[in-house]
Amino acid sequence: MERTINLCPGIGASAHLIQHTELLFSSVYFEQPHLYLIQQGHKRIRWQQQELVAYPGELMMIDGGQTVDIINGLSDDGVFSCQLLTCDPLLFAATRPPGPAMSDHAFAGVQTLRNLPCGFIHSFETTHLALALNNSFPLAITRHKVLEILLWLTQFGIKFVHNEVKDLTQRVRRCLATDPHSIWTAAKVAESLSMSEVMLRRKLSAENTALRNLMIDVRMNSALALLQSTDWPISLIAQHVGYESSSRFAERFRKRFGFVPTAIRGHQRPE
């Protein structure tokens, strides 16, 4: 089966990440929580002068709104691989226990779960499969499987909370990420956020950022995910994130991450 990112709107997404070269991905922004079940190699996350590592059979969780550095370390066989799940934030409330909100126990940041019970690993793998084969699964069943993962996490004391984004930079990122191929003018972004173009530029400037830089970063982060999680040709990935020229895309990608797109795949994928 050809690898791709399996998206089920309103429920979640799954992907199978493979990498054959150990690389540092610096300042990667996460729009929503990501759950990585490590299969081969290890995943190292650095953020705010902290570091965590997850090994095979362990779960690495990164909350939405985080910007982290990532190193995917290789196994003795020269491979990093993991299963990825993301959950639509609107599902978080469905697993909230009755009574007052427990916001002080809400998960934030980065965390690794070790010594996972077999039941959780089985649930994770079947949820990953349900999202991958979403055309063969009723939506209600797929939604139930994703909720099952969230319920498992509450058993471990992990509770995700859907917080409305107030930072304009994050709101613009979310807007741009809906269609990285599109040419987003300031007027178009301002209209989608129900504000004037002048106000948009002024507020972004106050947050020390610029629309053009955000657009490039969103496109490169999207390309990174596609390079790791799909078997798409690089030319197709370039077009998906708004570059008709593969060489121009490769140049922009190298400038952002420090290496060319082919370095991620390493031309060593097993047949």
Side-chain angles (χ1 to χ4, degrees), residues 10-12 87-96 143 146-147 150 162:
I11 296 176
C87 309
D88 191 297
L90 295 178
L91 294 183
F92 298 159
T95 57
R96 183 178 302 155
R143 183 177 186 274
V146 173
L147 287 172
L150 294 175
H162 179 35

Side-chain angles (χ1 to χ4, degrees), residues 5 13 18 60 65 80 134 154 177-178 180 206-207 210 222 237 246 254:
I5 296 176
I18 297 178
M60 175 71 81
F80 169 82
N134 63 75
T154 63
T178 60
E207 294 178 9
S222 178
I237 293 175
S246 295
R254 182 187 58 77

Side-chain angles (χ1 to χ4, degrees), residues 144-163:
H144 174 81
K145 294 299 299 178
V146 173
L147 287 172
E148 184 178 312
I149 295 300
L150 294 175
L151 286 169
W152 264 109
L153 293 177
T154 63
Q155 298 299 305
F156 305 140
I158 304 298
K159 186 67 181 178
F160 288 107
V161 175
H162 179 35
N163 295 315

Side-chain angles (χ1 to χ4, degrees), residues 103-170:
S103 59
D104 54 329
H105 295 292
F107 172 74
V110 182
Q111 187 171 333
T112 298
L113 289 180
R114 299 182 170 87
N115 302 314
L116 296 168
C118 293
F120 173 80
I121 294 177
H122 177 73
S123 291
F124 195 99
E125 291 176 343
T126 55
T127 302
H128 192 275
L129 181 64
L131 286 162
L133 302 176
N134 63 75
N135 290 331
S136 302
F137 277 72
L139 284 179
I141 300 299
T142 304
R143 183 177 186 274
H144 174 81
K145 294 299 299 178
V146 173
L147 287 172
E148 184 178 312
I149 295 300
L150 294 175
L151 286 169
W152 264 109
L153 293 177
T154 63
Q155 298 299 305
F156 305 140
I158 304 298
K159 186 67 181 178
F160 288 107
V161 175
H162 179 35
N163 295 315
E164 289 298 326
V165 175
K166 297 180 180 178
D167 182 284
L168 180 60
T169 298
Q170 293 182 345

Side-chain angles (χ1 to χ4, degrees), residues 9 35 113 130 149 196 214 251:
L35 309 176
L113 289 180
I149 295 300
S196 70
L214 285 177
E251 177 186 348

